[in-house]
């Protein structure tokens, strides 16, 4: 199953998702070289990749869910490598990179029975959790599914919120200083 695609050029694109190897779900990465799609050798983790964003032929990000934890992988032009996520409890659904030193990832963080919308930012060295408005609390089901960064000072995240019988869409915006919904 392929869940997301991105292109750095007409001869350099990535698609990510997951497959079943007979007993478990594994991450899947495919690369377009301008002529054909080819499955890539990656960390071959249990789980799925649900978002991908490429800045160049040597800089791409993929995010998703490993065994009950967030999953971030980075392409450095040679290989995909797993990166440390500052919010391991949850899942990441979308990623958008502006440059080699500026990327956003979104999803959901779970702590006990509480769930919160999760936004992480890469600053060129590490990923850091960002403060954002998030309806939450016990019994709430907030999720961010997608993010699009236009520049360092302009990004959008979308998702949904469900609690009790109330269900609604959710939009947040980064204005260069803070996220607001």
């Amino acid at each position: 199953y392929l869940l997301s695609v991105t292109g750095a050029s007409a001869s350099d694109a990535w698609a990510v998702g997951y497959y079943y190897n007979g007993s478990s779900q594994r991450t899947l990465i495919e690369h377009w070289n301008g002529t054909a799609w080819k499955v890539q050798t990656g960390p071959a983790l249990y789980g799925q990749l649900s978002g991908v964003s490429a800045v160049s032929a040597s800089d791409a990000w993929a995010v998703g869910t490993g065994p009950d934890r967030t999953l971030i992988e980075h392409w450095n032009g040679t290989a995909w490598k797993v990166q440390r996520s500052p919010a391991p409890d949850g899942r990441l659904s979308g990623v958008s990179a502006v440059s080699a030193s500026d990327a956003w990832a979104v999803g959901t963080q779970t702590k006990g029975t509480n769930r919160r919308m999760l936004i992480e930012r890469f600053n060129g060295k590490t990923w850091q959790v960002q403060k954002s408005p998030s309806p939450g609390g016990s019994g709430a089901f907030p999720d961010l599914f997608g993010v699009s960064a236009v520049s360092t000072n302009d990004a959008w995240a979308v998702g949904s919120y469900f609690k009790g019988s109330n269900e609604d869409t959710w939009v947040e915006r980064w204005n260069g200083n803070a996220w607001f919904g």
Side-chain angles (χ1 to χ4, degrees):
Y1 299 88
L2 292 173
L3 303 175
S4 184
V5 65
T6 187
S9 71
S11 61
D12 184 26
W14 297 96
V16 299
Y18 65 96
Y19 69 97
Y20 287 99
N21 69 356
S23 62
S24 63
Q25 185 173 298
R26 309 287 284 202
T27 59
L28 173 64
I29 303 171
E30 294 190 18
H31 183 251
W32 172 257
N33 63 10
T35 305
W37 286 97
K38 182 179 177 188
V39 174
Q40 297 296 295
T41 303
L45 297 170
Y46 294 103
Q48 76 177 34
L49 294 169
S50 51
V52 63
S53 181
V55 176
S56 69
S58 62
D59 189 15
W61 293 97
V63 300
T65 307
D68 300 319
R69 61 182 300 117
T70 54
L71 175 59
I72 302 173
E73 295 187 25
H74 183 251
W75 171 255
N76 63 12
T78 305
W80 284 95
K81 295 186 180 180
V82 175
Q83 304 293 303
R84 184 189 161 284
S85 171
D89 300 328
R91 66 177 172 74
L92 292 169
S93 301
V95 63
S96 182
V98 176
S99 69
S101 62
D102 192 8
W104 296 94
V106 299
T108 302
Q109 185 174 20
T110 306
K111 290 189 177 183
T113 59
N114 291 324
R115 289 175 56 158
R116 292 190 47 79
M117 293 180 178
L118 173 62
I119 299 177
E120 295 184 17
R121 188 174 194 183
F122 181 71
N123 63 12
K125 296 183 184 198
T126 62
W127 285 91
Q128 299 173 340
V129 174
Q130 303 295 299
K131 290 182 181 180
S132 70
S134 178
S138 184
F141 295 95
D143 283 304
L144 288 173
F145 299 113
V147 61
S148 180
V150 179
S151 70
T152 300
N153 297 320
D154 190 8
W156 295 86
V158 296
S160 66
Y161 170 74
F162 177 78
K163 185 170 184 176
S165 62
N166 297 324
E167 186 173 9
D168 208 350
T169 58
W170 188 266
V171 178
E172 294 187 27
R173 183 168 187 213
W174 170 255
N175 65 7
N177 296 308
W179 283 95
F180 61 94

